[in-house]
Amino acid sequence: MIVGMLTAMPTAALPPSPQVAPAARGRGDACPGALRLHTADDGALARIRLPGGILTTGQAEALGHAARRLGDGDLHLTSRGNVQLRGLAAGCGGELAEALDAVGLLPSREHERVRNIVASPLSGLDGRGSRDVRPWLTALDAALCASDAARGLSGRFLFALDDGRGDVAGLGADVLVRATEDGGAWLTPGSVRVAPAEAPRAALMAAETFLEAARSHTARTWRVSDLPLREGELDRLVRDRLTTEGIEQNDRPEPVGSADGPPPGAVGGALSVHVPLGRLSALQWEALAVAADTELRLTPWRGVVVPTAGAIAARGVESLGRLRDAGLVTDPASSWLRVGACVGRPGCAKAHGDVRADAARALEATGRSALPLYWSGCERRCGHPRGAHVDVLATPDGGYRLSATTTDGSTRTASAAGPARMGAALAAITS
């Protein structure tokens, strides 16, 4: 049976290190969480961390109930496989925390914002990958929650556990563990291989080493890329730490290869859907829970993998049809897979336009783009993807500025007065 309760603490959690104190910061980390709500134009916002994007059907039911009772009724997926509840009423923080705690979604209140872990969504389901990473996920989450030092990580720091296929390895995580074909585990930072049994502990040590290095810098060092060290210096510090802790290493070559996220449709022992613009209505959320066996897996690509078993798998076509009828994307050729957007107006006061509505209108008018499009309401570009894409930025005059990097490294730009004029602008920068 697929184990869904990854938030439960194992009886033998990995021991935290006492060597590291939280890093100094120029100002407080303002990332929202389940206990630290953010005030937006449409009400308060809560971000619930779901390591690996995994939650049981019971936890999914509780989240849906909280969204309907306390918020706008929808569930908003993030680029890290987490969930945001929006439109929350003032003063509901305590009630929300109690509801999350009752179903195991707050294993440690001191660590709830640092449990940012993405994992290969199809691991253990489709016969691909070198290793099922779910045991790593359980152990790393437990180790994080048991570490006093880990409380010093920012809400932006990201761990990635890749089963060897290379999907989450390309998401720019601060600490990456990638399974190798020969049964090992590649760790970055450190750029070394460790035994798979040591991988979760090594990942925590890499994060703690980052914190130790960051202590001497008063600037904002939320992520590894912020750390002003010489090239290779953090790798050396991590390797030294692993040696001190008795973790054997070898310098065999780094694994190569990459893969996209799960395509919509029936994939191995699972159903996969894409969520247009990452926003799930209460009915769509309920349809996913009904289709599931024991758990849901939310992906960093704003999709959902539904592991199935037994009779449910035999009804896969029927289940996919119901999910499609609910408005979820089940066609791997859908243009929606190449469109993303921040929340925009009216939820965000900084946004210059209703980018979600405009993205939908433009998609209807122009169809599939040669490159993925990401629509941003302002210069902050919240949630924008890595890699090649068309940057569609709302401007104060109500229009949009488009930019894309071409294969020769140059940048092309164009402007569009609105979604109806997007086709010509796209053609100008992607042709």
Side-chain angles (χ1 to χ4, degrees), residues 90-418:
C92 75
E95 185 178 355
L96 175 61
E98 288 181 6
L100 298 177
D101 194 31
V103 293
L105 290 175
L106 284 180
S108 171
R109 295 190 175 217
E110 292 78 17
H111 297 81
E112 62 93 9
R113 292 190 306 133
V114 307
R115 299 170 66 229
N116 289 308
I117 310 173
V118 294
S120 299
L122 291 173
S123 191
L125 295 175
D126 65 347
R128 297 182 57 198
S130 300
R131 171 180 294 272
D132 186 344
V133 299
R134 289 172 301 164
W136 283 353
L137 181 59
T138 305
L140 177 56
D141 188 28
L144 272 175
C145 291
S147 169
D148 287 339
R151 292 184 299 172
L153 294 172
S154 81
R156 307 174 191 182
F157 196 90
L158 180 64
F159 295 85
L161 303 177
D162 193 295
D163 69 359
R165 73 185 70 207
D167 52 357
V168 298
L171 297 181
D174 298 281
V175 174
L176 166 67
V177 178
R178 180 170 177 173
T180 60
E181 291 184 359
D182 60 2
W186 175 266
L187 174 70
T188 305
S191 298
V192 292
R193 295 198 190 197
V194 299
E198 297 282 19
R201 188 160 71 105
L204 176 62
M205 289 180 185
E208 290 183 344
T209 302
F210 158 78
L211 284 171
E212 190 171 58
R215 290 178 62 189
S216 59
H217 301 283
T218 56
R220 288 180 293 170
T221 48
W222 306 128
R223 305 198 62 186
V224 164
S225 58
D226 299 328
L227 198 59
L229 294 179
R230 296 187 301 275
E231 183 177 358
E233 182 65 12
L234 184 58
D235 286 341
R236 183 189 66 78
L237 292 173
V238 170
R239 291 193 295 267
D240 289 348
R241 173 70 185 283
L242 297 179
T243 299
T244 299
E245 297 289 344
I247 295 181
E248 294 185 5
Q249 312 150 51
N250 68 66
D251 57 359
R252 298 180 68 177
E254 178 181 3
V256 296
S258 62
D260 295 327
V267 186
L271 306 177
S272 174
V273 299
H274 177 75
V275 181
L277 302 179
R279 185 170 187 169
L280 284 157
S281 69
L283 289 177
Q284 290 171 331
W285 189 252
E286 182 180 353
L288 287 165
V290 169
D293 180 19
T294 59
E295 68 181 27
L296 298 176
R297 300 186 183 186
L298 313 185
T299 80
W301 301 275
R302 294 183 172 86
V304 183
V305 168
V306 184
T308 59
I312 296 178
R315 299 196 304 269
V317 174
E318 179 183 346
S319 296
L320 275 177
R322 289 174 177 169
L323 295 175
R324 181 190 62 244
D325 292 344
L328 299 170
V329 175
T330 61
D331 179 3
S334 171
S335 298
W336 272 118
L337 274 65
R338 302 175 72 80
V339 179
C342 71
V343 69
R345 288 182 180 173
C348 177
K350 295 183 180 294
H352 299 303
D354 186 348
V355 292
R356 286 183 170 182
D358 285 349
R361 294 188 191 102
L363 182 65
E364 183 177 353
T366 62
R368 191 176 181 90
S369 168
L371 284 174
L373 277 68
Y374 192 81
W375 296 64
S376 299
C378 72
E379 294 281 357
R380 295 183 303 168
R381 295 176 170 84
C382 294
H384 70 88
R386 294 174 58 88
H389 67 281
V390 177
D391 180 64
V392 185
L393 179 66
T395 55
D397 61 3
Y400 287 92
R401 184 171 72 248
L402 288 73
S403 61
T405 301
T406 62
T407 53
D408 62 5
S410 61
T411 300
R412 294 182 178 180
T413 61
S415 297

Side-chain angles (χ1 to χ4, degrees), residues 5-59:
M5 186 61 80
L6 292 178
T7 53
M9 300 288 286
T11 55
L14 298 176
S17 168
Q19 300 179 13
V20 187
R25 298 288 190 268
R27 63 178 178 83
D29 175 15
C31 272
L35 302 178
R36 178 186 293 180
L37 307 188
H38 169 74
T39 301
D41 265 22
D42 57 350
L45 176 155
R47 184 177 299 159
I48 297 99
R49 267 70 175 187
L50 303 172
I54 296 180
L55 68 167
T56 66
T57 51
Q59 290 170 334

